[in-house]
Every structure is written in C-alpha cells, then in structure tokens.
Amino acid sequence: MSAVNRKDSLNQFIQQIYGRPVVVKLNSGVDYRGVLACLDGYMNIALEQTEEYENGQLQNKYGDAFIRGNNVLYISTVKRRT
C-alpha cells in the first residue's frame, strides 16, 4: 500500500469515527472512553461524556476531556452492543 493510500484510509477512518464512542489508551496504561468530538494533526483529542478507567476499573467521569496527543498510545472504536 502506498503512503498516499495509507493517508487516505486513515483520513476516512477518522471521518467515520467522529461523534462515535471510542477508547483512547494512554502511554501510562489509563483508558479514556467517550464520544470523539475533535482530533487534530498532533493527535490531540477532545472527548465528550468521558469516563476514566485504570486497570479496567472506572475511576472518574468527566463531561468533556482534552487529551494531549503525545500521551496517546492508540485510539480504538467501541463495538456497539446488540
């Protein structure tokens, strides 16, 4: 896959997940789960309806949260429950 195709598929993925539930895993091991409101080129992330999990345990709930991109290990979509 060429670099252009990879960039296009990444942009398509990001466009598809705006407004959807995501999990953001930090380098520290902490997970933030919420609705993706914004993502910039530095991977800074704004979440709404955010919950903080440590070792799988809910630690805190926030309305809105901003996560600095250099702390992010990965972003994953949350599978919808049926």
Side-chain angles (χ1 to χ4, degrees):
M1 180 183 286
S2 73
V4 173
N5 287 340
R6 220 176 267 157
K7 185 176 180 182
D8 287 342
S9 62
L10 177 60
N11 286 336
Q12 288 173 356
F13 170 74
I14 291 169
Q15 290 301 318
Q16 289 174 356
I17 64 172
Y18 275 118
R20 295 199 173 176
V22 295
V23 175
V24 179
K25 178 87 165 187
L26 302 187
N27 296 324
S28 65
V30 175
D31 291 347
Y32 286 90
R33 300 175 190 181
V35 176
L36 182 65
C38 187
L39 175 70
D40 70 10
Y42 296 102
M43 214 157 149
N44 295 317
I45 300 167
L47 295 177
E48 298 172 340
Q49 304 169 27
T50 310
E51 296 176 335
E52 178 184 40
Y53 288 83
E54 193 168 342
N55 298 321
Q57 299 293 316
L58 178 63
Q59 297 296 313
N60 216 332
K61 290 186 178 187
Y62 307 101
D64 296 332
F66 180 80
I67 302 169
R68 191 170 173 198
N70 66 335
N71 294 312
V72 176
L73 183 61
Y74 67 79
I75 302 170
S76 174
T77 57
V78 175
K79 293 182 181 176
R80 295 179 186 227
R81 295 180 184 161
T82 56

